[in-house]
Amino acid sequence: MKPKAAFYWCASCGGCEEAVLDLAEGVLDVVAAVDIVFWPVALDFKAKDVEGMEDGAIDISFVNGAVRTGHQLEMARLLRRKSRLVVAFGACAQLGGIPGLANLTTAREILCEVYGEDGPRREFRENGHTLTLPELFDSVYPLNRAIPVDYFVPGCPPSPKIVADALQTLLSGVLPEPGTVLAPDRAMCDECPRRDSHPDELQFDCFHRVQERVLDTGACILAQGVPCLGPATRAGCGARCISGNMPCTGCFGPTSHVRDYGAKALCSIASVIGASDADEIDRMFENIVDPVGTFYRYSLPSSFLERKRLE
Amino acid sequence: MPEEFEPKIVAFFCNWCTYLAADLAGTSRIKYAPNAEVVRVMCSGRVDVQFVLKAFAKGADGVLIGGCHPGDCHYQEGNYKALRRYRLLQRLLRQMGIEEERLRLEWISAAEGDRVRVVIDEMVETLRRLGPLHKSEALMEVA
Amino acid sequence: MSGAYGYFPGCSLKGAGVAYEESLLALFRLLGLPLAELEDWNCCGATSYMSIDERSAILLSSRNLLLAHKAGYRDVVAPCSACYLVLRKAQDYMERYPRIGKEVHAALGDGDLKVLNAIRVRHPLEVLYTDVGPGRIRQSLVRQWHGGRVACYYGCQMVRPYAEADRAHDPMRMDELLRAAGVPTVDYSLKTKCCGGSLTGTTHEVGVRLNYALLREAARKGADAIATVCPLCQYNLDAYQREIRRASHEPFDMPILYFSQILGWALGADTGALGLRRAISGRKTVQQWFSERRVEKEAYA
Amino acid sequence: MPERIVRIGVYTCHCGSNIAATVDVKAVAEFAATLPNVVLSRDYKYMCSDPGQDLIRQDIRSHALNRIVVASCSPHLHEHTFRTALKVGGLNPFYFHMVNIREQASWVHENRVQATRKAKDLVRAAVRRVAFHEPLKRGRVAIHPDVLVLGGGIAGIHAALTLANAGKHVYLVEKEPTIGGHMAKFDKTFPTLDCAACILTPKMSAVRSHPNITLWTYSEVVKVDGYVGNYKVKVLRHPRYIDEDLCAGCLDCLEACVYKQAKVPDAFNLGLSKRRPIYIPFPQAVPQVPVIDPETCIQFKSGKCKTTCVDACGERHAINLHAEPQAHEIEVGTVILATGFQTFDAARVPYYGYGRYGNVYTALEVERLVNASGPTAGQVVMRDGRTPQTVGIVHCVGSRDENTHRWCSRVCCMYSLKLAHLIKEHTGAEVFDFYIDIRTPGKGFEEFYQKLLNERVHFVRGRVAEVTDWVLDPSEEGRLVIRVEDTLAGFVRRIPVDMVVLATGLEPRADAPEIRRLFNISCAGEGFFLERHPKLAPVNTFTDGVFLAGCCQSPKDIPDTVAQAGAAAAEALALIDAGYIETEPNTAHVEESLCCGCKTCMSMCPYHAVSFLPEIYKSRVNEVLCKGCGTCVAACPSGAMRQNLFEDDEIFAEIEGILTNA
């Protein structure tokens, strides 16, 4: 009998769902290999179908997206209860992802921005029924801050190869250690097509924003003065951005020896600039206009500080 | 009347200058506020930005990094690395709503025992003014 | 921001020391340095006040600093050494003792300490030395000195404790400026000793004895006159000479001049505008020395 | 591999009352006992004592401890002691962490409650940290047997001879054209009044002739690389324009100089005499080789000199007017710094009239005046040619003074007494000593003071206010007046004298900061070189293999200087004869599985300890070159670079420990 699988999305863009389909014909093998019992995006299931199941009835749930509403939290907890394994699928579920940058503001600020001072109505009645908007939390959380997570599949979105490998590993029966990130434990440079152009003595006199210059397609992007986070980021993506002549922005998150991705990346980049006097240094950093967005683009909620300080 | 807020400072002192200065303050019996607790590293260049943020996240109200004066680093230029990281980190902390006074980088040579007192007392004073650094409360307990 | 120097005369320059003000204004006018008197200035809080109630003294001076700031002056020129000292001291104390800073702030209801301390309190001697300099003095000479030798007497308050107007123990700037004007000066070991200050008014004989020492040593070093930078020094040395003459049976009749009178004359100021006729001692000498005599230009070109 | 089950023993030290007075040691120990993995927690009066260390050694066995935490003083003081105790106890010495609750807690805080809280926090941090410790091995570095001694004063001379006599090869480098330093300027030495030359010059020539000593005068160290045991030092030898090997020291060239009269102020005599452009600092100079001073030599200035000196040298051809500076690269294992001091510049205290009144002298000038081989052949005559009838000696000029130097220069009292005696002896003058306190703590010092009292030297207690020519009484005419408050008589006195001697203090040399940077050592607040420990390591510095001797460390007299020079030599010998030194294992290393070859680490390392292996595309650390700063570890973006004793895990644990109940 085939293992039962569930797919669910929380705060995400849908890209992770696409990522599954990106397996192209490979998706058929998945369908063949597992018995999909829940996949709101693709198939017509309802939450109550899941509620109806016995605890642990689902062999493996793939949850993508971060957690930032009461409803997402509820679903996460439900799936946790019903599943033997829960996999955080994609950057948002693993690290908080792009939505995680909302942690620079608060729910109230966002609602005011969109709905004006008094915000949206939480409740309203429609022929006898009362509809209630789920609570919007102040902060975005990675999945493992909501529920215990067994495995992580990194990436925004996870590359087909990563997904395929992950599925294979998980279905193979021989499971890796709980908490494992299902991608190589090396930095991205390792698979970068331009790694040979990486200079011995890295040093910068100024940083450029990627839109400011035409990047040499043959040379290490970091060496061209554009913050490329390849050295800090876990491999497994196949250096897709680099192939597109764009710097790595870190969607695969840190390697296993780094606790706070952005802090480490910042620490590393700052170390290799040429200046030694404070003003000169500040001048060099002027072009890093948005440090949080630069170093924590996908990982703010899973960083030590997690969010902007709440007054 | 509520008792005065006692800020907590984690201090990363380099082994050759600032840590020795702190020892000198001791042998000179200079008195200063007990709010700073020292983590000894060989060089201010060893101070990983992760350490600083970890300290803030774990409840430090302030973080102090102490190294040798520019040009005097026991390892030639580790203190410059510290300075660069510090400047960029300050920009990030600003975005995260953390006042720059909460993170201080000071050059204190092995001879400047009294400087340790001045810096720590000043910092405690400032942090009392700023009040505690509250990290956002965990929303939910992870089962 | 006006380019002028804020000018704080203080009480002396409007009273006993008016000759100082007259000559100073004339001299600065000649050199094209505008001195603009502060509106509504008040007592600097010096001497007696300072020693009785330091706090009020500093408050008084701070107000003057605030006036200067509001009027947009970066520099305040205080010719009286006592004023100069108290103004400077006020800044120093505000800087050093936050408590005083707070009190000043409260009392003035204004006066951000930073701006008060940003104002440069300066003594005219130092202004002449740094902003004009002996070189320019030498070039702008109009009259050739034919008077006698001068002992430069700096007194205590201009150089101590703030050795900013000149060196604390062996000031030389007045000497250098006068020499630049062709005036021979003598090596005067008592140049920073006490003139008795207000002792001449309180413990009279002590004050007078100090002045006697100053005169006697100047004479011994071959000086025919003493040049001063402070109205109190000038007054003590000038006004009590007759008494000292009687007591010591030594024939002192020595002009006690302001450096600004000598320089003003040398640079061609109208002799009548230098307050010279206000001299008490050595009147004849003053008349001889300050009579008309032009510089042969080429000699100084 | 670290032991599986962590069993920690915590030891909290009272240090007599040093810690116990401010920190509740019992409470700390009880608290420690409650911490995870702690199987044993004790407090003891003196942990560093033998019984204290025994406790650790026994407990390791009887309680199967595999991690030790000691909360006592600074690791700079006793980390080594306790690590050794672990080793003896059969445990890897690096399963140890030390908590500094003395220098950084009990001695700097007053509130017992807070000091105790802090001590607990620090102990908690250590307990968490030490759980992550791993067994480490010390590396060994071979010690190159050659020694560099910098400075050719009595300190450098004595150190060099001691080492050379022990069969070690010494490079003695001196800035001046001769060795001898300040001592060579002295006439007699206190308190025995034996002649300086008689005891110094034999040592000087011994240096010259010693087969194990390479003497480089007129030379400077310009670059220092390497580390203990293996220093590479670049020495620049300035041209003296006379070849040391060819010159026979006949000094004919001096006589032959076209300058018949000497015209240049003679630095060795502090300008009290003149010399020619070609000169020898003093008759007993070592080496006995003249120097040409290009600043004043006509040939160098105009090229139009008859160069009679060259003719005078004749066949020997020792004079080479085209000589160039020479750079030498030497390798040494250890270094002794004996760079000495400079005397306080009396012009900085104008109220004492130095430079203004001709008859005001510094003590060092008077040393030359009373010196038989000095500019006046021992006659004490003043600049105005007179012999003084009364002399005033002013103590503590530039010492014990808020405005100049706060410290006591230690030698001034004694040399002032000596000069008082010599001046009396040479002139029969009446001598006044103006002192704040007379300090004579030394063998035979107090006795010497008594002797001076009996010689009727007048001692006036009080800091001199000024030296002036201001005359109040005809008797003062043409003399210098010393104004002073006689604090014993209780009134202000004016004492007229003919000659004033300023007992100027000792201060760090102007070039001390450069030397300090070259050799990577620290200075104390006042600028003298900082010793590793004021009592237990007085000649060591914080840089292994660099030792201190003489006044570069602090003012001291000749006996102390010589003793310290001997001690420094002994420390160097100890290293050399051991043959190697064990290094801290706190080096960095690469976890290759994580390294992606981004080379960030390479640009971090000033010692080029990190190299890149293209074949496996990884960085690798050369642990001999690595000095263990950890900068590359912080900079490594993928966490592949790690540092022994300062692992991320260990530091994070420490941070969490400190903050656990924050």
Side-chain angles (χ1 to χ4, degrees):
Chain A
M1 151 175 162
K2 288 194 283 181
K4 293 189 169 47
F7 294 87
Y8 187 69
W9 62 352
C10 294
S12 72
C13 63
C16 286
E17 311 282 348
E18 299 287 343
V20 180
L21 301 179
D22 284 347
L23 292 170
E25 65 278 11
V27 78
L28 299 175
D29 309 340
V30 180
V31 176
V34 299
D35 176 359
I36 300 175
V37 295
F38 186 59
W39 191 2
V41 177
L43 309 163
D44 183 19
F45 291 104
K46 296 279 180 289
K48 60 177 184 311
D49 302 331
V50 181
E51 282 157 7
M53 302 176 186
E54 288 185 2
D55 287 2
I58 305 172
D59 293 284
I60 177 165
S61 290
F62 296 88
V63 179
N64 69 73
V67 176
R68 83 154 317 163
T69 68
H71 176 250
Q72 289 159 353
L73 177 57
E74 220 170 278
M75 286 306 292
R77 285 178 169 161
L78 173 65
L79 284 166
R80 175 70 272 182
R81 209 163 54 243
K82 303 297 176 185
S83 320
R84 283 179 36 248
L85 294 179
V86 172
V87 176
F89 189 90
C92 298
Q94 185 200 354
L95 308 165
I98 298 275
L101 289 170
N103 283 4
L104 287 172
T105 107
T106 61
R108 171 144 183 54
E109 285 167 50
I110 294 170
L111 293 177
C112 290
E113 176 71 25
V114 183
Y115 299 93
E117 263 317 303
D118 32 349
R121 277 166 53 211
R122 282 287 302 279
E123 281 191 0
F124 58 98
R125 281 177 179 57
E126 190 65 40
N127 46 45
H129 300 287
T130 311
L131 294 178
T132 313
L133 286 179
E135 181 192 355
L136 183 72
F137 303 142
D138 269 327
S139 303
V140 175
Y141 296 90
L143 187 60
N144 68 345
R145 286 277 273 107
I147 57 169
V149 172
D150 301 292
Y151 300 107
F152 301 86
V153 177
C156 181
S159 58
K161 180 161 187 326
I162 286 290
V163 177
D165 293 355
L167 288 170
Q168 200 183 29
T169 317
L170 294 170
L171 300 177
S172 70
V174 262
L175 292 174
E177 212 164 282
T180 305
V181 177
L182 301 173
D185 197 4
R186 284 182 270 106
M188 194 279 286
C189 294
D190 202 55
E191 53 189 23
C192 176
R194 307 184 188 183
R195 78 174 192 177
D196 294 321
S197 65
H198 202 298
D200 281 1
E201 283 286 316
L202 255 186
Q203 199 169 72
F204 303 108
D205 306 330
C206 65
F207 287 106
H208 306 286
R209 305 175 67 180
V210 66
Q211 65 271 32
E212 283 177 356
R213 54 186 1 218
V214 184
L215 291 171
D216 171 345
T217 54
C220 168
I221 291 175
L222 184 54
Q224 297 180 59
V226 173
C228 172
L229 301 184
T233 308
R234 193 182 277 262
C237 60
R240 286 178 300 183
C241 299
I242 311 299
S243 323
N245 205 23
M246 290 294 281
C248 169
T249 52
C251 69
F252 267 56
T255 61
S256 61
H257 276 46
V258 174
R259 289 172 172 71
D260 183 311
Y261 175 85
K264 196 53 162 158
L266 179 152
C267 193
S268 175
I269 294 266
S271 302
V272 288
I273 63 165
S276 296
D277 119 308
D279 303 345
E280 210 183 332
I281 292 172
D282 290 347
R283 216 172 355 82
M284 284 195 192
F285 289 143
E286 270 167 13
N287 239 351
I288 302 184
V289 283
D290 171 17
V292 171
T294 309
F295 299 108
Y296 283 121
R297 184 167 303 178
Y298 305 90
S299 58
L300 184 55
S302 58
S303 70
F304 284 145
L305 293 177
E306 297 189 345
R307 60 158 297 116
K308 181 178 185 207
R309 186 171 166 215
L310 288 167
E311 295 312 327
Chain B
M1 151 107 199
E3 69 182 273
E4 191 171 32
F5 156 61
E6 284 296 340
K8 189 101 179 179
I9 299 170
V10 174
F12 299 95
F13 283 176
C14 83
N15 184 59
W16 302 105
C17 288
T18 313
Y19 193 90
L20 284 176
D23 278 359
L24 176 60
T27 45
S28 326
R29 307 301 196 277
I30 294 170
K31 305 292 182 225
Y32 57 85
N35 305 57
E37 285 165 27
V38 175
V39 174
R40 182 169 66 114
V41 287
M42 294 310 286
C43 176
S44 52
R46 174 65 181 98
V47 179
D48 188 325
V49 170
Q50 289 188 100
F51 301 162
V52 177
L53 296 187
K54 180 68 179 184
F56 281 131
K58 276 290 288 182
D61 302 295
V63 173
L64 170 61
I65 304 171
C68 311
H69 285 270
D72 293 358
C73 178
H74 188 81
Y75 303 101
Q76 292 181 28
E77 49 204 32
N79 52 356
Y80 290 115
K81 312 291 192 300
L83 176 63
R84 296 165 192 169
R85 296 165 186 157
Y86 164 80
R87 302 302 301 186
L88 186 50
L89 178 54
Q90 281 291 15
R91 292 165 59 87
L92 181 116
L93 290 181
R94 212 174 302 141
Q95 276 182 294
M96 299 295 285
I98 295 177
E99 303 88 344
E100 66 180 316
E101 296 96 318
R102 292 188 186 270
L103 172 62
R104 209 164 148 172
L105 174 66
E106 283 292 331
W107 309 134
I108 305 179
S109 84
E112 299 173 298
D114 193 57
R115 182 91 187 115
V116 173
R117 172 187 67 81
V118 172
V119 169
I120 289 180
D121 284 353
E122 264 178 21
M123 200 164 172
V124 171
E125 214 26 64
T126 321
L127 292 175
R128 283 226 173 84
R129 210 183 64 242
L130 293 176
L133 172 76
H134 289 300
K135 197 179 146 298
S136 58
E137 294 312 318
L139 171 79
M140 54 208 124
E141 274 317 305
V142 177
Chain C
M1 268 302 195
S2 87
Y5 299 88
Y7 167 52
F8 178 80
C11 57
S12 302
L13 274 78
K14 298 297 182 183
V18 67
Y20 194 2
E21 176 169 71
E22 291 167 341
S23 54
L24 202 61
L25 294 176
L27 173 60
F28 272 58
R29 208 173 301 112
L30 282 173
L31 290 163
L33 307 175
L35 280 181
E37 183 166 337
L38 295 182
E39 294 275 328
D40 188 34
W41 58 268
N42 55 264
C43 167
C44 71
T47 53
S48 40
Y49 215 152
M50 195 68 187
S51 40
I52 294 161
D53 177 356
E54 207 168 50
R55 183 171 152 284
S56 315
I58 284 168
L59 288 180
L60 285 167
S61 267
S62 321
R63 178 173 180 275
N64 291 317
L65 290 170
L66 184 58
L67 292 177
H69 165 65
K70 289 199 171 140
Y73 299 121
R74 196 157 138 279
D75 299 19
V76 167
V77 177
C80 167
S81 297
C83 304
Y84 167 77
L85 179 58
V86 184
L87 285 164
R88 190 63 196 76
K89 205 178 239 175
Q91 292 182 314
D92 185 27
Y93 280 25
M94 287 189 277
E95 187 101 35
R96 253 195 283 168
Y97 311 106
R99 183 183 53 76
I100 295 183
K102 289 200 194 77
E103 286 180 3
V104 169
H105 193 78
L108 300 180
D110 191 356
D112 168 3
L113 301 185
K114 274 192 197 57
V115 310
L116 293 190
N117 285 348
I119 291 183
R120 301 196 305 174
V121 174
R122 305 180 66 185
H123 192 282
L125 178 70
E126 180 268 332
V127 174
L128 283 176
Y129 190 85
T130 35
D131 299 6
V132 179
R136 217 186 108 197
I137 296 287
R138 201 173 288 109
Q139 286 151 18
S140 16
L141 285 182
V142 173
R143 297 201 181 99
Q144 179 168 10
W145 183 254
H146 58 279
R149 274 166 311 187
V150 174
C152 292
Y153 175 57
Y154 299 78
C156 58
Q157 301 195 91
M158 188 191 81
V159 287
R160 288 195 302 274
Y162 306 105
E164 289 163 1
D166 204 337
R167 290 198 299 261
H169 295 284
D170 57 339
M172 280 302 289
R173 288 177 169 179
M174 192 181 355
D175 292 77
E176 287 180 50
L177 288 170
L178 291 193
R179 285 176 196 170
V183 181
T185 66
V186 304
D187 170 27
Y188 186 45
S189 309
L190 299 185
K191 55 170 78 162
T192 63
K193 288 286 176 298
C194 177
C195 72
S198 41
L199 283 181
T200 43
T202 54
T203 325
H204 187 68
E205 53 296 331
V206 175
V208 169
R209 209 179 308 129
L210 288 161
N211 284 283
Y212 166 70
L214 293 173
L215 290 163
R216 190 171 178 287
E217 182 64 12
R220 189 178 149 272
K221 284 292 176 68
D224 309 302
I226 295 178
T228 61
V229 298
C230 169
L232 191 56
C233 302
Q234 195 278 342
Y235 181 81
N236 281 334
L237 285 162
D238 197 11
Y240 296 101
Q241 260 189 63
R242 194 197 292 122
E243 180 179 343
I244 292 171
R245 194 158 52 226
R246 289 219 199 81
S248 65
H249 309 296
E250 292 177 51
F252 296 119
D253 190 22
M254 195 181 271
I256 310 299
L257 302 159
Y258 290 103
F259 74 106
S260 45
Q261 293 177 305
I262 303 179
L263 289 177
W265 181 85
L267 268 56
D270 168 5
T271 316
L274 295 169
L276 291 161
R277 63 187 185 292
R278 302 179 188 278
I280 301 172
S281 307
R283 301 182 70 94
K284 278 198 202 56
T285 325
V286 175
Q287 276 160 15
Q288 289 166 14
W289 288 7
F290 292 91
S291 60
E292 202 58 30
R293 186 180 295 192
R294 293 270 154 196
V295 172
E296 303 83 26
K297 262 292 167 211
E298 59 282 2
Y300 282 84
Chain D
M1 242 355 269
E3 323 280 330
R4 289 271 162 282
I5 319 110
V6 174
R7 297 175 59 84
I8 305 175
V10 180
Y11 300 82
T12 312
C13 181
H14 295 244
C15 193
S17 63
N18 281 302
I19 294 172
T22 340
V23 170
D24 183 342
V25 174
K26 287 253 179 284
V28 174
E30 284 157 17
F31 167 79
T34 67
L35 296 170
N37 300 329
V38 174
V39 294
L40 177 76
S41 172
R42 297 184 190 275
D43 61 289
Y44 187 72
K45 232 32 248 94
Y46 293 102
M47 278 313 297
C48 58
S49 69
D50 220 38
Q53 297 182 47
D54 259 333
L55 272 179
I56 300 177
R57 293 192 281 257
Q58 285 156 11
D59 293 345
I60 290 175
R61 296 203 189 79
S62 45
H63 294 79
L65 302 179
N66 55 26
R67 301 286 193 288
I68 302 294
V69 169
V70 175
S72 55
C73 50
S74 168
H76 282 284
L77 192 57
H78 276 312
E79 187 171 53
H80 184 73
T81 315
F82 293 119
R83 280 178 175 172
T84 319
L86 265 71
K87 196 148 176 246
V88 177
L91 201 58
N92 183 289
F94 300 96
Y95 277 137
F96 171 76
H97 193 66
M98 193 159 175
V99 186
N100 185 344
I101 59 169
R102 192 180 73 169
E103 284 83 348
Q104 297 186 16
S106 67
W107 277 352
V108 287
H109 306 316
E110 284 154 321
N111 178 323
R112 191 173 171 80
V113 178
Q114 288 174 314
T116 307
R117 191 218 77 244
K118 179 172 173 180
K120 287 179 181 174
D121 287 348
L122 291 169
V123 166
R124 190 198 301 109
V127 164
R128 294 212 180 189
R129 179 194 217 277
V130 80
F132 288 92
H133 279 212
E134 293 175 15
L136 299 168
K137 255 184 120 293
R138 290 177 172 279
R140 281 187 175 190
V141 179
I143 305 287
H144 191 295
D146 294 0
V147 186
L148 166 69
V149 176
L150 187 60
I154 181 59
I157 290 173
H158 186 76
L161 285 172
T162 311
L163 289 157
N165 293 337
K168 309 302 174 199
H169 187 268
V170 179
Y171 297 91
L172 179 55
V173 176
E174 165 61 48
K175 210 171 187 162
E176 299 298 319
T178 175
I179 56 172
H182 281 95
M183 187 175 174
K185 295 186 165 72
F186 304 161
D187 177 35
K188 301 273 196 303
T189 56
F190 63 75
T192 46
L193 294 177
D194 43 351
C195 127
C198 316
I199 53 180
L200 178 64
T201 46
K203 281 171 101 56
M204 288 165 66
S205 42
V207 166
R208 176 66 168 163
S209 55
H210 205 298
N212 291 342
I213 297 179
T214 305
L215 173 60
W216 285 336
T217 53
Y218 217 38
S219 307
E220 284 175 83
V221 169
V222 290
K223 193 161 177 292
V224 180
D225 286 325
Y227 46 90
V228 55
N230 306 273
Y231 288 107
K232 287 178 188 44
V233 181
K234 187 172 178 195
V235 180
L236 189 69
R237 300 194 63 192
H238 303 299
R240 65 200 298 155
Y241 303 106
I242 288 145
D243 187 312
E244 286 188 31
D245 304 325
L246 300 177
C247 174
C250 66
L251 307 188
D252 294 350
C253 47
L254 272 61
E255 297 311 316
C257 179
V258 294
Y259 274 97
K260 282 306 153 226
Q261 258 71 38
K263 285 203 167 47
V264 189
D266 180 345
F268 187 82
N269 284 332
L270 305 130
L272 292 170
S273 69
K274 302 263 192 286
R275 61 162 172 82
R276 298 191 173 87
I278 185 168
Y279 69 102
I280 184 157
F282 64 106
Q284 300 75 23
V286 168
Q288 271 286 314
V289 178
V291 201
I292 297 177
D293 156 25
E295 298 301 309
T296 48
C297 171
I298 299 177
Q299 182 60 16
F300 280 88
K301 287 194 309 194
S302 66
K304 294 197 186 61
C305 181
K306 295 202 275 337
T307 63
T308 44
C309 52
V310 179
D311 309 340
C313 192
E315 287 319 297
R316 288 198 209 88
H317 303 299
I319 301 183
N320 169 12
L321 297 173
H322 306 292
E324 292 290 326
Q326 302 171 341
H328 296 263
E329 297 272 357
I330 57 172
E331 293 196 357
V332 296
T334 49
V335 176
I336 294 177
L337 297 179
T339 50
F341 63 95
Q342 68 190 30
T343 50
F344 175 78
D345 172 11
R348 279 180 59 191
V349 285
Y351 38 92
Y352 288 165
Y354 183 77
R356 201 155 87 242
Y357 307 128
N359 294 343
V360 177
Y361 289 79
T362 67
L364 203 53
E365 288 169 341
V366 177
E367 290 281 358
R368 296 309 297 152
L369 287 184
V370 297
N371 191 313
S373 65
T376 57
Q379 296 308 309
V380 182
V381 288
M382 303 186 294
R383 291 194 173 92
D384 63 10
R386 294 184 297 136
T387 304
Q389 301 305 307
T390 26
V391 178
I393 301 179
V394 182
H395 288 224
C396 298
V397 176
S399 303
R400 304 183 65 191
D401 178 355
E402 289 285 331
N403 303 317
T404 55
H405 299 323
R406 289 152 155 266
W407 64 87
C408 165
S409 295
R410 260 186 85 184
V411 292
C412 318
C413 278
M414 283 307 289
Y415 79 57
S416 299
L417 296 180
K418 176 190 73 182
L419 290 176
H421 170 84
L422 294 175
I423 290 168
K424 252 185 155 1
E425 188 177 77
H426 288 239
T427 63
E430 194 171 6
V431 179
F432 294 83
D433 263 57
F434 301 89
Y435 67 98
I436 306 175
D437 303 287
I438 291 286
R439 297 190 166 173
T440 58
K443 196 175 181 186
F445 289 12
E446 183 63 16
E447 295 86 329
F448 190 74
Y449 176 36
Q450 291 304 326
K451 173 179 152 70
L452 268 282
L453 287 168
N454 299 334
E455 289 176 5
R456 301 242 183 302
V457 172
H458 309 288
F459 287 90
V460 179
R461 184 171 176 280
R463 177 186 280 286
V464 170
E466 69 170 343
V467 174
T468 176
D469 65 349
W470 159 41
V471 167
L472 205 57
D473 177 280
S475 70
E476 299 170 347
E477 204 56 65
R479 305 175 76 186
L480 293 167
V481 175
I482 293 177
R483 294 182 64 240
V484 59
E485 181 191 1
D486 186 327
T487 56
L488 296 180
F491 59 88
V492 177
R493 295 174 66 177
R494 297 173 57 91
I495 298 177
V497 298
D498 301 319
M499 179 189 206
V500 172
V501 181
L502 302 180
T504 47
L506 278 51
E507 64 183 16
R509 286 179 55 94
D511 60 5
E514 297 161 38
I515 303 289
R516 187 179 118 258
R517 287 213 170 88
L518 272 175
F519 292 92
N520 195 8
I521 62 172
S522 304
C523 279
E526 67 281 1
F528 292 108
F529 296 152
L530 184 66
E531 64 280 357
R532 193 183 195 107
H533 188 281
K535 294 167 192 65
L536 302 179
V539 299
N540 305 64
T541 66
F542 284 99
T543 304
D544 286 329
V546 177
F547 306 101
L548 304 175
C551 291
C552 63
Q553 182 257 346
S554 77
K556 50 180 69 68
D557 61 12
I558 294 167
D560 289 3
T561 298
V562 170
Q564 202 185 21
E571 290 282 353
L573 281 173
L575 269 184
I576 298 166
D577 288 352
Y580 65 86
I581 181 174
E582 288 199 319
T583 54
E584 274 290 291
N586 59 13
T587 48
H589 54 97
V590 177
E591 187 147 326
E592 289 188 350
S593 68
L594 283 162
C595 177
C596 67
C598 75
K599 302 177 192 164
T600 306
C601 44
M602 295 179 72
S603 50
M604 290 298 102
C605 185
Y607 308 106
H608 307 294
V610 190
S611 51
F612 184 70
L613 311 177
E615 58 280 3
I616 55 168
Y617 223 84
K618 312 265 177 211
S619 291
R620 184 167 292 169
V621 176
N622 174 338
E623 300 195 347
V624 176
L625 294 181
C626 174
K627 289 193 175 10
C629 63
T631 305
C632 59
V633 185
C636 175
S638 56
M641 189 65 83
R642 300 174 50 175
Q643 182 185 15
N644 292 331
L645 285 174
F646 294 90
E647 298 280 3
D648 283 359
D649 288 341
E650 295 168 352
I651 296 174
F652 277 118
E654 214 174 332
I655 297 170
E656 285 167 356
I658 286 174
L659 293 167
T660 285
N661 49 19

